[in-house]
Amino acid sequence: MNVLILGGTTEARELATLLNTHPKITPIFSLAGVTSHPILPQCTIRTGGFGGINGLKHYLYIENIHAVVDATHPFAAQMGHNAAAACAALSLPLLRLERPAWSLQPGDHWINAKTLNHAAQLLGSTPKRVFLTTGRKDLSAFRTDTTHHYIIRSIDPPHIDECPQNHTLLISRPPFSIESEHALMSSHKIDILITKNAGSASTAAKLTAARHLNIPVIMVQRPERPSLTYVATPEAARLWLETL
């Protein structure tokens, strides 16, 4: 059985690794290709976009794909909608593999935002030092702001034209420790943290550090996705595939 894994998360890589030695399942791991030097599993790799719903349908057909696992980032909503439409058109089984969202802990001060634009509005008019960890592709909501100073952390450097006027750029790849996040927020005198609710264990330390330092967090909520069968772990995804 040929299984297309729409990747971009740790869980996607772990599922591909689980399936790579499976006697009856052949994984094909797909990445959008937006991150340089990604960590890849040992299996067949496909990089780049599909060209929308019709392009994905064509790929699924010509590559004789029997099932699809959407294990993209929780905020990659467009790919999720495209996968649902393409699989429905071809009557292919589709599973969503998505880690649970972070949840509020005692001592947290979260301010929920529906979108990145909403998060930018919630900063208000009093100048702040903002720790912005939403990724280099999500800076447009803050680009024209001249009130606040942004400490932007990204795996790959964004284009300078995409950054707010007042910013400090930190290039770094997770995982991060609580100690290092605590030191970073203290040294940069962070007033507020903005992040998307990705739910990743490798980046959760910033929330613990913010809690210890009594720093408020603007938490951007996950976008809506198609109604699908969901599992939270690669092991559960493998079991689902084995039932097909």
Side-chain angles (χ1 to χ4, degrees), residues 1-7 15-16 19 24-30 50 56-57 59-71 79 83-84 86-88 90-97 228-229 236-244:
M1 182 170 68
N2 297 323
V3 175
L4 177 65
I5 302 172
L6 300 173
L15 176 59
L19 298 179
K24 296 183 179 181
I25 300 175
T26 300
I28 299 93
F29 188 81
S30 175
F50 292 96
L56 180 56
K57 283 169 54 180
Y59 177 87
L60 296 173
Y61 179 77
I62 64 170
E63 295 296 331
N64 195 29
I65 302 298
H66 301 105
V68 178
V69 178
D70 175 12
M79 187 68 249
C87 288
L90 297 174
S91 299
L92 290 179
L94 172 63
L95 177 72
R96 173 64 180 159
L97 169 56
L228 301 173
T229 299
R238 182 195 62 191
L239 290 173
W240 180 85
L241 289 166
E242 288 175 341
T243 66
L244 298 180

Side-chain angles (χ1 to χ4, degrees), residues 161-176:
D161 292 342
E162 298 171 347
C163 297
Q165 177 180 314
N166 304 316
H167 76 276
T168 300
L169 184 59
L170 306 176
I171 302 301
S172 187
R173 183 185 292 269
F176 305 109

Side-chain angles (χ1 to χ4, degrees), residues 198-235:
S200 173
S202 66
T203 58
K206 61 190 172 187
L207 301 178
T208 304
R211 185 185 314 128
H212 291 169
L213 293 168
N214 199 30
I215 293 173
V217 179
I218 295 180
M219 184 67 71
V220 182
Q221 301 304 298
R222 293 180 177 184
E224 291 187 6
R225 280 180 169 269
S227 179
L228 301 173
T229 299
Y230 272 66
V231 295
T233 66
E235 292 77 10

Side-chain angles (χ1 to χ4, degrees), residues 8-57:
T9 59
T10 301
E11 292 76 17
R13 293 196 304 271
E14 291 175 352
L15 176 59
T17 300
L18 281 176
L19 298 179
N20 194 42
T21 57
H22 198 286
K24 296 183 179 181
I25 300 175
T26 300
I28 299 93
F29 188 81
S30 175
L31 278 177
V34 297
T35 301
S36 63
H37 310 297
I39 302 172
L40 299 174
Q42 295 296 317
C43 69
T44 300
I45 306 295
R46 182 200 176 278
T47 304
F50 292 96
I53 296 171
N54 288 335
L56 180 56
K57 283 169 54 180

Side-chain angles (χ1 to χ4, degrees), residues 142-164:
F142 312 93
R143 182 169 54 86
T144 60
D145 176 53
T146 58
T147 301
H148 310 291
H149 186 93
Y150 294 87
I151 290 80
I152 300 170
R153 183 165 67 193
S154 177
I155 294 175
D156 295 317
H159 194 280
I160 190 64
D161 292 342
E162 298 171 347
C163 297

